[in-house]
Amino acid sequence: MHYLKPDVKIEPLVQRWYAWIHLVPPMQCALNLEYRYKGLLQSFVANPNIHHNAANDPAMYGGPFMGLTIDDKSFAQSLQKQMSDEFYQLSNLAVEYRKFELALTDAAKGQSLEEFYKLVPDQLAGALELVYDTSNNANIRLFEDLLPDLGFSTQPLQSISLTREAEEDRQFFLSTPRTYSENRLDLELDFKNPMIDTLAKMRVQSFNFEDIVEELGLDATQKDRFSEMCTEQPTARNSPNYNGDKVRVRYFGHACVLLETSEVSILIDPLLSTNADASDDRFSIADLPDTIDYIIITHGHQDHLVPEILLQLRHKTKHVLVPRNNQGSIADPSLKLIFKDLGFQSVTALDPFEITSIKDGEIWSLPFPGEHCDLDILTKHALFIHLKGFKALFMVDSNAVEPKLYSNIQRRIGDIDMAFIGMECDGAPLSWLYGPFMPRPLVRSSDEARSMSSSKAEEAITALDYFNCKEVCIYAMGQEPWLKHLMGLVYETDSVQLNEARKFIELCSERDILAKQLYISEEFER
């Protein structure tokens, strides 16, 4: 009987690219493949030395440079051809959509939009509505859930890759495809395949090795690679199930927090280490409870909604709660549909101030202002969780530029015991994540001014002053060693983010609020 070794990664891929939120739904995937990844490949093939040198410069990490070696040029050329052959349908969808979008916004100046339906690409006929906002700006409202009916899906491009690559060696998700190598086991499994559940269970449950090999259909070479990823030794687990009479709070790194009573478990933004053998006292995926009653996603950024981790939690998750999206917006895909595409069955989309009653308490969806480059994106919510009298506010990456919002929220939820707030207050520019969705080139000054930034110290403390808070935890700073490939940042000791965090802790101290910056792991009962 065998287990997966603790350091094995189970990476979901789309056309060899690491699967993140905008590579799961077909339209967003099409635009990224066409207007992000094609250009990266062309640039690398033309100048592999430039990419190699830039990708190995720590100051350039997170930039548009492929972390491949010069010897990988043939792989990049092969991937170019593969994308051209297999991606043609989605590529054509992206090109035709962009062409129509430009024609519509150039010509529609307040007149009836009926005439423009004649220009809708054949691929999208009957799958969209044309609308104006109240300032007479024309927009396309896409009916996302109809695209699979029209033959558009990322499922044929999906696969799973197993690797024992060290955390610090994982390539940046947004710029580097996964190569074929002797250190990888590539499996032709789409994201809904139940064998992913079996592989995930193997982290803490033993299975017959030969049975798994047969079910996966591995050949002799693949079997040998899989054998190197398995062990007969069980993975150590750190009290995964809580049976106390209080509320146990566990911090798993970044914005991943688990709240448990003896009756319910709530996991927020699951991005956590899968390596249970690390020596830094981290909690790993093996330390999660056997059943997760609720997974809650606060917003759709790549460090909060992570398909790699979510697929490994699917088998033990009862319900998923997500914020409702701005339906039809390309930049704001439905998280509910994305979870359905990942094989989850019970998914609920919440509106602001909607309350979910649970055992031992309730969960509130709250407004989450800012952090999305001023785009009209609704898939974001802060959280108020009330369990057994313990009241916790999760502000996540909110940019509290309008503190009176929190005065209004306080009238609804009252005072709180503990707050969690992110202070990544100098984030990436608009184009870094959303560039492929912008139909026209961005003015550099606007691009840099509209960043994915959360609160600074003064904004954060002004918001929290309304709640008479007793404790505050700074989190979601992206510093844990297993996050580098997703965050695209490395802080210096004097970075503005860390300076603002230190300033915030000082402001809390002046108010007799216990404040700390979380890192790696934390556990307490309340």
PDB file of all heavy atoms in Angstrom, residues 211-242:
ATOM      1  N   ASP A 211      -3.044  -1.034  -8.530  1.00  0.00           N
ATOM      2  CA  ASP A 211      -4.396  -0.616  -8.904  1.00  0.00           C
ATOM      3  C   ASP A 211      -4.390   0.801  -9.478  1.00  0.00           C
ATOM      4  O   ASP A 211      -5.067   1.082 -10.478  1.00  0.00           O
ATOM      5  CB  ASP A 211      -5.330  -0.672  -7.691  1.00  0.00           C
ATOM      6  CG  ASP A 211      -5.657  -2.096  -7.270  1.00  0.00           C
ATOM      7  OD1 ASP A 211      -5.395  -3.028  -8.066  1.00  0.00           O
ATOM      8  OD2 ASP A 211      -6.164  -2.265  -6.142  1.00  0.00           O
ATOM      9  N   ILE A 212      -3.627   1.693  -8.855  1.00  0.00           N
ATOM     10  CA  ILE A 212      -3.559   3.084  -9.328  1.00  0.00           C
ATOM     11  C   ILE A 212      -2.887   3.137 -10.693  1.00  0.00           C
ATOM     12  O   ILE A 212      -3.336   3.856 -11.603  1.00  0.00           O
ATOM     13  CB  ILE A 212      -2.813   3.974  -8.319  1.00  0.00           C
ATOM     14  CG1 ILE A 212      -3.504   3.944  -6.960  1.00  0.00           C
ATOM     15  CG2 ILE A 212      -2.723   5.409  -8.838  1.00  0.00           C
ATOM     16  CD1 ILE A 212      -4.924   4.417  -6.971  1.00  0.00           C
ATOM     17  N   VAL A 213      -1.824   2.374 -10.860  1.00  0.00           N
ATOM     18  CA  VAL A 213      -1.134   2.328 -12.154  1.00  0.00           C
ATOM     19  C   VAL A 213      -2.090   1.881 -13.251  1.00  0.00           C
ATOM     20  O   VAL A 213      -2.134   2.466 -14.341  1.00  0.00           O
ATOM     21  CB  VAL A 213       0.087   1.384 -12.081  1.00  0.00           C
ATOM     22  CG1 VAL A 213       0.639   1.096 -13.479  1.00  0.00           C
ATOM     23  CG2 VAL A 213       1.179   1.982 -11.201  1.00  0.00           C
ATOM     24  N   GLU A 214      -2.896   0.869 -12.940  1.00  0.00           N
ATOM     25  CA  GLU A 214      -3.847   0.356 -13.938  1.00  0.00           C
ATOM     26  C   GLU A 214      -4.930   1.396 -14.234  1.00  0.00           C
ATOM     27  O   GLU A 214      -5.286   1.618 -15.397  1.00  0.00           O
ATOM     28  CB  GLU A 214      -4.480  -0.934 -13.433  1.00  0.00           C
ATOM     29  CG  GLU A 214      -5.447  -1.567 -14.433  1.00  0.00           C
ATOM     30  CD  GLU A 214      -6.015  -2.881 -13.943  1.00  0.00           C
ATOM     31  OE1 GLU A 214      -5.577  -3.377 -12.884  1.00  0.00           O
ATOM     32  OE2 GLU A 214      -6.915  -3.421 -14.629  1.00  0.00           O
ATOM     33  N   GLU A 215      -5.449   2.034 -13.206  1.00  0.00           N
ATOM     34  CA  GLU A 215      -6.512   3.024 -13.407  1.00  0.00           C
ATOM     35  C   GLU A 215      -6.020   4.235 -14.197  1.00  0.00           C
ATOM     36  O   GLU A 215      -6.753   4.812 -15.001  1.00  0.00           O
ATOM     37  CB  GLU A 215      -7.070   3.474 -12.056  1.00  0.00           C
ATOM     38  CG  GLU A 215      -7.906   2.409 -11.355  1.00  0.00           C
ATOM     39  CD  GLU A 215      -8.551   2.944 -10.092  1.00  0.00           C
ATOM     40  OE1 GLU A 215      -9.297   3.936 -10.193  1.00  0.00           O
ATOM     41  OE2 GLU A 215      -8.310   2.383  -9.006  1.00  0.00           O
ATOM     42  N   LEU A 216      -4.753   4.594 -13.989  1.00  0.00           N
ATOM     43  CA  LEU A 216      -4.183   5.717 -14.725  1.00  0.00           C
ATOM     44  C   LEU A 216      -3.725   5.324 -16.122  1.00  0.00           C
ATOM     45  O   LEU A 216      -3.465   6.187 -16.959  1.00  0.00           O
ATOM     46  CB  LEU A 216      -2.997   6.315 -13.953  1.00  0.00           C
ATOM     47  CG  LEU A 216      -3.320   7.075 -12.673  1.00  0.00           C
ATOM     48  CD1 LEU A 216      -2.040   7.443 -11.938  1.00  0.00           C
ATOM     49  CD2 LEU A 216      -4.135   8.337 -12.976  1.00  0.00           C
ATOM     50  N   GLY A 217      -3.635   4.043 -16.377  1.00  0.00           N
ATOM     51  CA  GLY A 217      -3.189   3.570 -17.687  1.00  0.00           C
ATOM     52  C   GLY A 217      -1.741   3.902 -17.978  1.00  0.00           C
ATOM     53  O   GLY A 217      -1.388   4.274 -19.113  1.00  0.00           O
ATOM     54  N   LEU A 218      -0.875   3.746 -16.990  1.00  0.00           N
ATOM     55  CA  LEU A 218       0.525   4.127 -17.145  1.00  0.00           C
ATOM     56  C   LEU A 218       1.312   3.063 -17.900  1.00  0.00           C
ATOM     57  O   LEU A 218       1.128   1.851 -17.687  1.00  0.00           O
ATOM     58  CB  LEU A 218       1.172   4.348 -15.769  1.00  0.00           C
ATOM     59  CG  LEU A 218       0.499   5.378 -14.841  1.00  0.00           C
ATOM     60  CD1 LEU A 218       1.301   5.523 -13.558  1.00  0.00           C
ATOM     61  CD2 LEU A 218       0.339   6.720 -15.533  1.00  0.00           C
ATOM     62  N   ASP A 219       2.219   3.518 -18.764  1.00  0.00           N
ATOM     63  CA  ASP A 219       3.139   2.585 -19.405  1.00  0.00           C
ATOM     64  C   ASP A 219       4.324   2.340 -18.476  1.00  0.00           C
ATOM     65  O   ASP A 219       4.394   2.883 -17.359  1.00  0.00           O
ATOM     66  CB  ASP A 219       3.587   3.090 -20.776  1.00  0.00           C
ATOM     67  CG  ASP A 219       4.311   4.425 -20.724  1.00  0.00           C
ATOM     68  OD1 ASP A 219       4.947   4.728 -19.693  1.00  0.00           O
ATOM     69  OD2 ASP A 219       4.259   5.176 -21.730  1.00  0.00           O
ATOM     70  N   ALA A 220       5.299   1.535 -18.928  1.00  0.00           N
ATOM     71  CA  ALA A 220       6.411   1.133 -18.054  1.00  0.00           C
ATOM     72  C   ALA A 220       7.225   2.338 -17.582  1.00  0.00           C
ATOM     73  O   ALA A 220       7.591   2.437 -16.401  1.00  0.00           O
ATOM     74  CB  ALA A 220       7.311   0.134 -18.778  1.00  0.00           C
ATOM     75  N   THR A 221       7.494   3.278 -18.498  1.00  0.00           N
ATOM     76  CA  THR A 221       8.273   4.465 -18.113  1.00  0.00           C
ATOM     77  C   THR A 221       7.501   5.322 -17.123  1.00  0.00           C
ATOM     78  O   THR A 221       8.057   5.797 -16.124  1.00  0.00           O
ATOM     79  CB  THR A 221       8.620   5.298 -19.359  1.00  0.00           C
ATOM     80  OG1 THR A 221       9.398   4.495 -20.262  1.00  0.00           O
ATOM     81  CG2 THR A 221       9.412   6.537 -18.979  1.00  0.00           C
ATOM     82  N   GLN A 222       6.226   5.529 -17.393  1.00  0.00           N
ATOM     83  CA  GLN A 222       5.400   6.333 -16.487  1.00  0.00           C
ATOM     84  C   GLN A 222       5.267   5.651 -15.122  1.00  0.00           C
ATOM     85  O   GLN A 222       5.275   6.317 -14.085  1.00  0.00           O
ATOM     86  CB  GLN A 222       4.022   6.542 -17.099  1.00  0.00           C
ATOM     87  CG  GLN A 222       4.006   7.448 -18.321  1.00  0.00           C
ATOM     88  CD  GLN A 222       2.634   7.512 -18.952  1.00  0.00           C
ATOM     89  OE1 GLN A 222       1.953   6.493 -19.108  1.00  0.00           O
ATOM     90  NE2 GLN A 222       2.203   8.715 -19.310  1.00  0.00           N
ATOM     91  N   LYS A 223       5.170   4.336 -15.131  1.00  0.00           N
ATOM     92  CA  LYS A 223       5.067   3.596 -13.879  1.00  0.00           C
ATOM     93  C   LYS A 223       6.310   3.818 -13.016  1.00  0.00           C
ATOM     94  O   LYS A 223       6.207   4.017 -11.794  1.00  0.00           O
ATOM     95  CB  LYS A 223       4.875   2.110 -14.155  1.00  0.00           C
ATOM     96  CG  LYS A 223       4.739   1.245 -12.903  1.00  0.00           C
ATOM     97  CD  LYS A 223       4.516  -0.210 -13.267  1.00  0.00           C
ATOM     98  CE  LYS A 223       4.431  -1.076 -12.013  1.00  0.00           C
ATOM     99  NZ  LYS A 223       4.192  -2.509 -12.340  1.00  0.00           N
ATOM    100  N   ASP A 224       7.479   3.799 -13.649  1.00  0.00           N
ATOM    101  CA  ASP A 224       8.724   4.034 -12.903  1.00  0.00           C
ATOM    102  C   ASP A 224       8.735   5.448 -12.308  1.00  0.00           C
ATOM    103  O   ASP A 224       9.154   5.641 -11.164  1.00  0.00           O
ATOM    104  CB  ASP A 224       9.935   3.847 -13.815  1.00  0.00           C
ATOM    105  CG  ASP A 224      10.161   2.382 -14.183  1.00  0.00           C
ATOM    106  OD1 ASP A 224       9.614   1.508 -13.485  1.00  0.00           O
ATOM    107  OD2 ASP A 224      10.872   2.126 -15.174  1.00  0.00           O
ATOM    108  N   ARG A 225       8.300   6.416 -13.082  1.00  0.00           N
ATOM    109  CA  ARG A 225       8.265   7.790 -12.567  1.00  0.00           C
ATOM    110  C   ARG A 225       7.285   7.913 -11.405  1.00  0.00           C
ATOM    111  O   ARG A 225       7.562   8.589 -10.409  1.00  0.00           O
ATOM    112  CB  ARG A 225       7.869   8.763 -13.677  1.00  0.00           C
ATOM    113  CG  ARG A 225       8.931   8.942 -14.748  1.00  0.00           C
ATOM    114  CD  ARG A 225       8.510   9.991 -15.768  1.00  0.00           C
ATOM    115  NE  ARG A 225       9.461  10.051 -16.872  1.00  0.00           N
ATOM    116  CZ  ARG A 225       9.324  10.833 -17.931  1.00  0.00           C
ATOM    117  NH1 ARG A 225       8.268  11.632 -18.028  1.00  0.00           N
ATOM    118  NH2 ARG A 225      10.230  10.830 -18.891  1.00  0.00           N
ATOM    119  N   PHE A 226       6.130   7.273 -11.548  1.00  0.00           N
ATOM    120  CA  PHE A 226       5.131   7.322 -10.494  1.00  0.00           C
ATOM    121  C   PHE A 226       5.651   6.642  -9.228  1.00  0.00           C
ATOM    122  O   PHE A 226       5.403   7.108  -8.112  1.00  0.00           O
ATOM    123  CB  PHE A 226       3.837   6.670 -10.972  1.00  0.00           C
ATOM    124  CG  PHE A 226       2.683   6.822 -10.023  1.00  0.00           C
ATOM    125  CD1 PHE A 226       2.313   8.071  -9.539  1.00  0.00           C
ATOM    126  CD2 PHE A 226       1.956   5.713  -9.612  1.00  0.00           C
ATOM    127  CE1 PHE A 226       1.243   8.216  -8.666  1.00  0.00           C
ATOM    128  CE2 PHE A 226       0.882   5.840  -8.743  1.00  0.00           C
ATOM    129  CZ  PHE A 226       0.527   7.100  -8.265  1.00  0.00           C
ATOM    130  N   SER A 227       6.391   5.555  -9.404  1.00  0.00           N
ATOM    131  CA  SER A 227       6.948   4.837  -8.260  1.00  0.00           C
ATOM    132  C   SER A 227       7.868   5.743  -7.443  1.00  0.00           C
ATOM    133  O   SER A 227       7.885   5.681  -6.202  1.00  0.00           O
ATOM    134  CB  SER A 227       7.723   3.609  -8.739  1.00  0.00           C
ATOM    135  OG  SER A 227       8.338   2.943  -7.654  1.00  0.00           O
ATOM    136  N   GLU A 228       8.622   6.600  -8.130  1.00  0.00           N
ATOM    137  CA  GLU A 228       9.528   7.517  -7.441  1.00  0.00           C
ATOM    138  C   GLU A 228       8.762   8.576  -6.646  1.00  0.00           C
ATOM    139  O   GLU A 228       9.338   9.228  -5.769  1.00  0.00           O
ATOM    140  CB  GLU A 228      10.447   8.196  -8.448  1.00  0.00           C
ATOM    141  CG  GLU A 228      11.417   7.229  -9.125  1.00  0.00           C
ATOM    142  CD  GLU A 228      12.204   7.886 -10.238  1.00  0.00           C
ATOM    143  OE1 GLU A 228      11.964   9.091 -10.503  1.00  0.00           O
ATOM    144  OE2 GLU A 228      13.049   7.209 -10.855  1.00  0.00           O
ATOM    145  N   MET A 229       7.485   8.752  -6.958  1.00  0.00           N
ATOM    146  CA  MET A 229       6.673   9.749  -6.271  1.00  0.00           C
ATOM    147  C   MET A 229       5.839   9.152  -5.150  1.00  0.00           C
ATOM    148  O   MET A 229       5.071   9.866  -4.502  1.00  0.00           O
ATOM    149  CB  MET A 229       5.753  10.449  -7.282  1.00  0.00           C
ATOM    150  CG  MET A 229       6.504  11.220  -8.345  1.00  0.00           C
ATOM    151  SD  MET A 229       5.390  11.987  -9.548  1.00  0.00           S
ATOM    152  CE  MET A 229       6.581  12.802 -10.627  1.00  0.00           C
ATOM    153  N   CYS A 230       5.978   7.873  -4.939  1.00  0.00           N
ATOM    154  CA  CYS A 230       5.179   7.183  -3.927  1.00  0.00           C
ATOM    155  C   CYS A 230       6.064   6.645  -2.813  1.00  0.00           C
ATOM    156  O   CYS A 230       7.272   6.467  -2.966  1.00  0.00           O
ATOM    157  CB  CYS A 230       4.386   6.034  -4.560  1.00  0.00           C
ATOM    158  SG  CYS A 230       3.116   6.573  -5.722  1.00  0.00           S
ATOM    159  N   THR A 231       5.444   6.376  -1.676  1.00  0.00           N
ATOM    160  CA  THR A 231       6.146   5.847  -0.513  1.00  0.00           C
ATOM    161  C   THR A 231       5.202   4.955   0.275  1.00  0.00           C
ATOM    162  O   THR A 231       3.980   5.094   0.188  1.00  0.00           O
ATOM    163  CB  THR A 231       6.656   6.990   0.387  1.00  0.00           C
ATOM    164  OG1 THR A 231       7.261   6.440   1.555  1.00  0.00           O
ATOM    165  CG2 THR A 231       5.511   7.905   0.809  1.00  0.00           C
ATOM    166  N   GLU A 232       5.779   4.054   1.046  1.00  0.00           N
ATOM    167  CA  GLU A 232       4.968   3.217   1.928  1.00  0.00           C
ATOM    168  C   GLU A 232       4.807   3.857   3.304  1.00  0.00           C
ATOM    169  O   GLU A 232       4.064   3.336   4.143  1.00  0.00           O
ATOM    170  CB  GLU A 232       5.610   1.832   2.077  1.00  0.00           C
ATOM    171  CG  GLU A 232       5.633   1.041   0.777  1.00  0.00           C
ATOM    172  CD  GLU A 232       6.228  -0.341   0.946  1.00  0.00           C
ATOM    173  OE1 GLU A 232       6.575  -0.696   2.105  1.00  0.00           O
ATOM    174  OE2 GLU A 232       6.359  -1.073  -0.043  1.00  0.00           O
ATOM    175  N   GLN A 233       5.484   4.999   3.511  1.00  0.00           N
ATOM    176  CA  GLN A 233       5.416   5.673   4.811  1.00  0.00           C
ATOM    177  C   GLN A 233       4.261   6.673   4.832  1.00  0.00           C
ATOM    178  O   GLN A 233       4.145   7.529   3.956  1.00  0.00           O
ATOM    179  CB  GLN A 233       6.730   6.406   5.080  1.00  0.00           C
ATOM    180  CG  GLN A 233       7.937   5.493   5.129  1.00  0.00           C
ATOM    181  CD  GLN A 233       7.811   4.437   6.212  1.00  0.00           C
ATOM    182  OE1 GLN A 233       7.404   4.740   7.340  1.00  0.00           O
ATOM    183  NE2 GLN A 233       8.137   3.205   5.874  1.00  0.00           N
ATOM    184  N   PRO A 234       3.403   6.594   5.838  1.00  0.00           N
ATOM    185  CA  PRO A 234       2.289   7.550   5.921  1.00  0.00           C
ATOM    186  C   PRO A 234       2.790   8.962   6.228  1.00  0.00           C
ATOM    187  O   PRO A 234       3.832   9.145   6.867  1.00  0.00           O
ATOM    188  CB  PRO A 234       1.435   7.004   7.065  1.00  0.00           C
ATOM    189  CG  PRO A 234       2.387   6.191   7.897  1.00  0.00           C
ATOM    190  CD  PRO A 234       3.378   5.612   6.936  1.00  0.00           C
ATOM    191  N   THR A 235       2.055   9.932   5.773  1.00  0.00           N
ATOM    192  CA  THR A 235       2.389  11.325   6.031  1.00  0.00           C
ATOM    193  C   THR A 235       1.933  11.716   7.437  1.00  0.00           C
ATOM    194  O   THR A 235       0.800  11.444   7.829  1.00  0.00           O
ATOM    195  CB  THR A 235       1.691  12.240   5.000  1.00  0.00           C
ATOM    196  OG1 THR A 235       2.152  11.893   3.697  1.00  0.00           O
ATOM    197  CG2 THR A 235       1.999  13.703   5.268  1.00  0.00           C
ATOM    198  N   ALA A 236       2.815  12.365   8.174  1.00  0.00           N
ATOM    199  CA  ALA A 236       2.454  12.837   9.511  1.00  0.00           C
ATOM    200  C   ALA A 236       1.416  13.951   9.399  1.00  0.00           C
ATOM    201  O   ALA A 236       1.499  14.814   8.526  1.00  0.00           O
ATOM    202  CB  ALA A 236       3.696  13.340  10.234  1.00  0.00           C
ATOM    203  N   ARG A 237       0.432  13.940  10.287  1.00  0.00           N
ATOM    204  CA  ARG A 237      -0.615  14.959  10.296  1.00  0.00           C
ATOM    205  C   ARG A 237      -0.671  15.611  11.674  1.00  0.00           C
ATOM    206  O   ARG A 237      -0.504  14.948  12.703  1.00  0.00           O
ATOM    207  CB  ARG A 237      -1.976  14.345   9.943  1.00  0.00           C
ATOM    208  CG  ARG A 237      -2.006  13.635   8.597  1.00  0.00           C
ATOM    209  CD  ARG A 237      -3.378  13.056   8.302  1.00  0.00           C
ATOM    210  NE  ARG A 237      -4.339  14.107   7.987  1.00  0.00           N
ATOM    211  CZ  ARG A 237      -5.652  13.894   7.870  1.00  0.00           C
ATOM    212  NH1 ARG A 237      -6.154  12.679   8.089  1.00  0.00           N
ATOM    213  NH2 ARG A 237      -6.464  14.897   7.556  1.00  0.00           N
ATOM    214  N   ASN A 238      -0.918  16.897  11.693  1.00  0.00           N
ATOM    215  CA  ASN A 238      -0.934  17.677  12.925  1.00  0.00           C
ATOM    216  C   ASN A 238      -2.371  17.966  13.340  1.00  0.00           C
ATOM    217  O   ASN A 238      -2.978  18.946  12.909  1.00  0.00           O
ATOM    218  CB  ASN A 238      -0.157  18.984  12.717  1.00  0.00           C
ATOM    219  CG  ASN A 238      -0.013  19.800  13.985  1.00  0.00           C
ATOM    220  OD1 ASN A 238      -0.648  19.518  14.998  1.00  0.00           O
ATOM    221  ND2 ASN A 238       0.827  20.817  13.930  1.00  0.00           N
ATOM    222  N   SER A 239      -2.949  17.094  14.141  1.00  0.00           N
ATOM    223  CA  SER A 239      -4.300  17.272  14.703  1.00  0.00           C
ATOM    224  C   SER A 239      -5.277  17.850  13.691  1.00  0.00           C
ATOM    225  O   SER A 239      -5.809  18.954  13.863  1.00  0.00           O
ATOM    226  CB  SER A 239      -4.243  18.188  15.930  1.00  0.00           C
ATOM    227  OG  SER A 239      -3.358  17.682  16.898  1.00  0.00           O
ATOM    228  N   PRO A 240      -5.563  17.129  12.619  1.00  0.00           N
ATOM    229  CA  PRO A 240      -6.378  17.707  11.546  1.00  0.00           C
ATOM    230  C   PRO A 240      -7.827  17.990  11.926  1.00  0.00           C
ATOM    231  O   PRO A 240      -8.439  18.906  11.372  1.00  0.00           O
ATOM    232  CB  PRO A 240      -6.301  16.655  10.445  1.00  0.00           C
ATOM    233  CG  PRO A 240      -5.993  15.380  11.157  1.00  0.00           C
ATOM    234  CD  PRO A 240      -5.126  15.758  12.310  1.00  0.00           C
ATOM    235  N   ASN A 241      -8.379  17.212  12.856  1.00  0.00           N
ATOM    236  CA  ASN A 241      -9.796  17.371  13.198  1.00  0.00           C
ATOM    237  C   ASN A 241      -9.939  17.924  14.616  1.00  0.00           C
ATOM    238  O   ASN A 241      -9.334  17.416  15.563  1.00  0.00           O
ATOM    239  CB  ASN A 241     -10.519  16.030  13.077  1.00  0.00           C
ATOM    240  CG  ASN A 241     -10.423  15.465  11.674  1.00  0.00           C
ATOM    241  OD1 ASN A 241     -10.894  16.071  10.720  1.00  0.00           O
ATOM    242  ND2 ASN A 241      -9.795  14.298  11.531  1.00  0.00           N
ATOM    243  N   TYR A 242     -10.750  18.966  14.747  1.00  0.00           N
ATOM    244  CA  TYR A 242     -10.903  19.660  16.035  1.00  0.00           C
ATOM    245  C   TYR A 242     -12.184  19.215  16.723  1.00  0.00           C
ATOM    246  O   TYR A 242     -13.268  19.234  16.128  1.00  0.00           O
ATOM    247  CB  TYR A 242     -10.932  21.171  15.799  1.00  0.00           C
ATOM    248  CG  TYR A 242     -11.107  21.984  17.053  1.00  0.00           C
ATOM    249  CD1 TYR A 242     -10.091  22.067  17.990  1.00  0.00           C
ATOM    250  CD2 TYR A 242     -12.303  22.667  17.300  1.00  0.00           C
ATOM    251  CE1 TYR A 242     -10.244  22.817  19.152  1.00  0.00           C
ATOM    252  CE2 TYR A 242     -12.472  23.421  18.453  1.00  0.00           C
ATOM    253  CZ  TYR A 242     -11.440  23.488  19.381  1.00  0.00           C
ATOM    254  OH  TYR A 242     -11.595  24.232  20.520  1.00  0.00           O
TER     255      TYR A 242
END
